[in-house]
Amino acid sequence: MKPMHPARWPAVVALIAGLSVAPTAHAGLEDPRHPGTVLRGLDLDRATVLDLQRAMDRGRFDSVTLTRFYLDRIRAVDPLLHSVVQTDPAAALKEAERSDRRRRHGGRGALEGIPVLLKDNIDTTGRLRTTAGSLALLGSRPAREAFLVERLRAAGAVILGKANLSEWANFRSSPSSSGWSAVGGQTNNPYVLDRNPCGSSSGSAVAAAATLAAVTIGTETDGSIVCPAGANGVVGIKPTIGLVSRAGVIPISAQQDTAGPITRNVTDAAAVLEAIQGVDPRDPATEPGGERDYLGALEPGALAGKRIGVWRSAAAGDQEVLATLDAAVATLRARGATVVDDLELEGMDEVGEPEFTALLTEFKHDLNAYLAATPGRHPGDLAGLIAFNERHASTELRYFGQELFQQAQATTGDLNDPAYRAAREKATSLARQAIDSVVSANRLDAVLAPTNARAWLTDLVKGDDFSGFVSSSAPPAVSGYPAITVPAGYAGDVLPLGVTFFGTRFSEPTLIALGYAFEQATKARKPPTYLRTLP
């Protein structure tokens, strides 16, 4: 898919908004909520899935109408964004029809009839392919859907299609451009189109921000849910490892991979997480212990009486990020929380090297196992993928290489290798100790940190601009602990900035409660502006 020529942007923006667009160098939508996101009087940009349930229960519209609305909006809006790589309208509308019939007999809960987009590394059967953004997997035909997709269908959700991603979840080359894949092209940030959406769940976050689906699903190994959620002004939850099954998700590492919701509000994220959690015999990390009630954690006053530590140094001295963090801290205090400011997570500066070393071995082992078990016409292992890319260099290697593939291939791929085991043990134990010790010593309910800095300019030649990069994803990612990012402010009043709450293992109910209370107190999120560029 080729990027749209800039000359076509004003016309497409006008089509989305139904408004005239001023012929300026940075014209955008004058009102991105109207009429493009309004269905029969309900603004879907602001509505929660609970609002959608009430509307459908009362006959305002049904799931077929809602599904058709999103399919139409994808056709109108996504030429600007390149966030959706494929849909299956016939199958989605049939699912919606079945949902409408079920509703007449009570329905299945908060996701009944709710359209969902899946990141394109999550297995589906039927006409929807699962490619990880690579042309090498166009012939892949998974025999069974991912467990989380089965859970979504059991909850009554409607699968709309697949969202673009950083190819191979950003584990093919460094540098690369987040949001680019050979299958889907370059995904654009909906706030400013020449800015990067971060990755690897780029398409999921952009589609959620642009109201191309009610909710979306992303995946994360380290930052791939929280960074795009923060950069695109939406909510993302990176769950505890073992809460959501990884079966049927194209892997990087079984030690750190997890799927999670990306949505416009905390309510929707809680509803999705409640639906996709569960014990799966195919994923030994999933543990019995009862399904958790996340919608019940939504309390506007949840900040009162909580103790929250602040990891300020994660802002890396970025003044825009620090100002947003200061405002977040002021909100916490105003809502009755005790803030323990300027804490350090000891040992995190030693995590990066062993984490990367471990991921290379895990990637080779886990991806080879996935490819060997997946039917269809595709390379059978990592070596085959490297050879495929070399044969198709004009498309797959057009902008950047496959250095990470080659480094992973050079490892043993043996999870019993002593050097690998030492690296994994060091990385995981340091990250867990960093969180556990600061939470215990300060009697914290959670840690607050900045999610991201202003989005950088997309550059397919030079790749991502990590100068001044801001991230707090590593402690929860490497430890396997949960995190939630929530919109908190804007750089230059345009580009979204988020804050992240993270905590100890299976602390999702607390984090969701804190994120919801913060969201309700700040109402920080604004709809995308679709500016072509900034002055």
Side-chain angles (χ1 to χ4, degrees):
M1 183 183 301
K2 296 181 180 179
M4 177 175 291
H5 191 281
R8 291 190 61 197
W9 282 338
V12 177
V13 170
L15 175 65
I16 299 166
L19 299 168
S20 60
V21 179
T24 66
H26 28 270
L29 300 185
E30 296 176 15
D31 184 352
R33 292 170 298 139
H34 180 79
T37 63
V38 176
L39 175 62
R40 298 189 182 174
L42 182 66
D43 185 354
L44 302 189
D45 177 84
R46 296 183 176 184
T48 69
V49 294
L50 303 183
D51 295 328
L52 296 179
Q53 294 304 333
R54 284 189 286 269
M56 288 188 284
D57 286 344
R58 295 169 182 171
R60 193 171 187 175
F61 50 78
D62 57 15
S63 180
V64 168
T65 303
L66 183 64
T67 300
R68 188 173 288 115
F69 173 91
Y70 285 121
L71 291 168
D72 289 344
R73 185 164 169 82
I74 289 168
R75 283 191 289 270
V77 178
D78 205 56
L80 280 175
L81 305 174
H82 307 294
S83 67
V84 180
V85 291
Q86 52 184 324
T87 61
D88 187 352
L93 290 168
K94 285 182 180 178
E95 283 188 65
E97 289 174 1
R98 288 193 290 269
S99 173
D100 289 333
R101 289 195 295 270
R102 285 194 302 270
R103 184 176 300 279
R104 292 194 284 270
H105 301 283
R108 295 178 176 175
L111 295 189
E112 182 65 78
I114 299 298
V116 181
L117 281 169
L118 307 170
K119 186 176 178 179
D120 191 23
N121 62 349
I122 299 172
D123 281 351
T124 48
T125 56
R127 296 183 64 185
L128 290 176
R129 299 183 301 271
T130 305
T131 72
S134 171
L135 300 175
L137 293 192
L138 288 177
S140 176
R141 296 293 182 267
R144 180 176 172 181
E145 294 191 313
F147 183 78
L148 74 90
V149 178
E150 295 174 351
R151 296 284 292 175
L152 286 168
R153 293 194 193 279
V158 174
I159 306 302
L160 275 181
K162 296 292 186 72
N164 199 19
L165 72 163
S166 308
E167 186 170 317
W168 294 109
N170 242 356
F171 209 79
R172 197 194 83 183
S173 176
S174 182
S176 62
S177 178
S178 291
W180 181 88
S181 75
V183 170
Q186 176 64 54
T187 301
N188 299 322
N189 190 306
Y191 286 84
V192 182
L193 296 170
D194 64 1
R195 295 284 171 152
N196 195 269
C198 201
S200 64
S201 302
S202 314
S204 299
V206 169
T211 320
L212 303 187
V215 299
T216 72
I217 304 291
T219 68
E220 172 159 330
T221 305
D222 189 339
S224 288
I225 287 175
V226 294
C227 186
N232 295 284
V234 290
V235 174
I237 297 179
K238 198 289 289 187
T240 300
I241 299 297
L243 183 67
V244 178
S245 171
R246 283 81 51 84
V249 179
I250 298 175
I252 291 177
S253 162
Q255 298 299 313
Q256 292 183 207
D257 292 349
T258 182
I262 301 179
T263 62
R264 286 177 297 282
N265 56 73
V266 177
T267 300
D268 291 359
V272 173
L273 188 60
E274 197 166 299
I276 63 177
Q277 67 177 329
V279 177
D280 178 10
R282 291 191 289 165
D283 185 350
T286 57
E287 299 179 0
E291 295 184 359
R292 296 160 179 85
D293 175 11
Y294 299 120
L295 285 171
L298 303 177
E299 293 290 341
L303 289 167
K306 297 295 190 299
R307 289 179 61 85
I308 301 172
V310 179
W311 187 24
R312 185 172 290 275
S313 63
D318 186 304
Q319 294 305 306
E320 291 176 321
V321 174
L322 286 170
T324 299
L325 188 61
D326 287 340
V329 167
T331 297
L332 300 184
R333 287 179 169 145
R335 295 293 167 141
T338 297
V339 175
V340 185
D341 208 345
D342 208 15
L343 297 176
E344 285 302 327
L345 272 67
E346 300 294 337
M348 282 307 303
D349 56 348
E350 302 175 41
V351 168
E353 183 176 345
E355 178 197 14
F356 180 64
T357 298
L359 289 177
L360 289 172
T361 298
E362 290 158 357
F363 182 65
K364 181 177 181 180
H365 177 275
D366 295 351
L367 184 60
N368 282 352
Y370 172 87
L371 293 171
T374 301
R377 297 183 61 185
H378 58 79
D381 57 17
L382 179 57
L385 291 175
I386 292 170
F388 177 94
N389 289 339
E390 290 171 348
R391 291 195 305 272
H392 299 84
S394 63
T395 50
E396 282 291 351
L397 305 181
R398 178 181 179 185
Y399 297 114
F400 45 90
Q402 52 181 339
E403 297 85 358
L404 297 183
F405 270 21
Q406 292 162 336
Q407 288 177 264
Q409 179 62 21
T411 71
T412 63
D414 181 1
L415 301 188
N416 291 314
D417 183 321
Y420 156 72
R421 291 174 68 88
R424 170 48 64 193
E425 172 61 25
K426 181 177 181 180
T428 302
S429 62
L430 282 172
R432 289 180 177 175
Q433 185 178 358
I435 296 176
D436 291 343
S437 60
V438 78
V439 167
S440 175
N442 295 279
R443 296 177 287 111
L444 302 179
D445 294 285
V447 177
L448 175 74
T451 305
N452 63 296
R454 65 163 54 209
W456 57 87
L457 284 164
T458 294
D459 188 331
L460 285 169
V461 176
K462 296 179 180 178
D464 292 334
D465 180 4
F466 287 132
S467 59
F469 184 63
V470 170
S471 173
S472 56
S473 66
V478 183
S479 65
Y481 292 173
I484 180 172
T485 183
V486 184
Y490 293 83
D493 201 38
V494 177
L495 291 165
L497 301 174
V499 293
T500 295
F501 294 90
F502 61 86
T504 54
R505 184 170 168 80
F506 291 124
S507 61
E508 282 88 348
T510 296
L511 301 182
I512 288 169
L514 297 177
Y516 179 75
F518 179 83
E519 172 191 71
Q520 297 303 301
T522 60
K523 303 288 187 183
R525 181 183 176 271
K526 299 182 291 189
T529 48
Y530 303 93
L531 300 175
R532 284 189 289 167
T533 190
L534 291 175

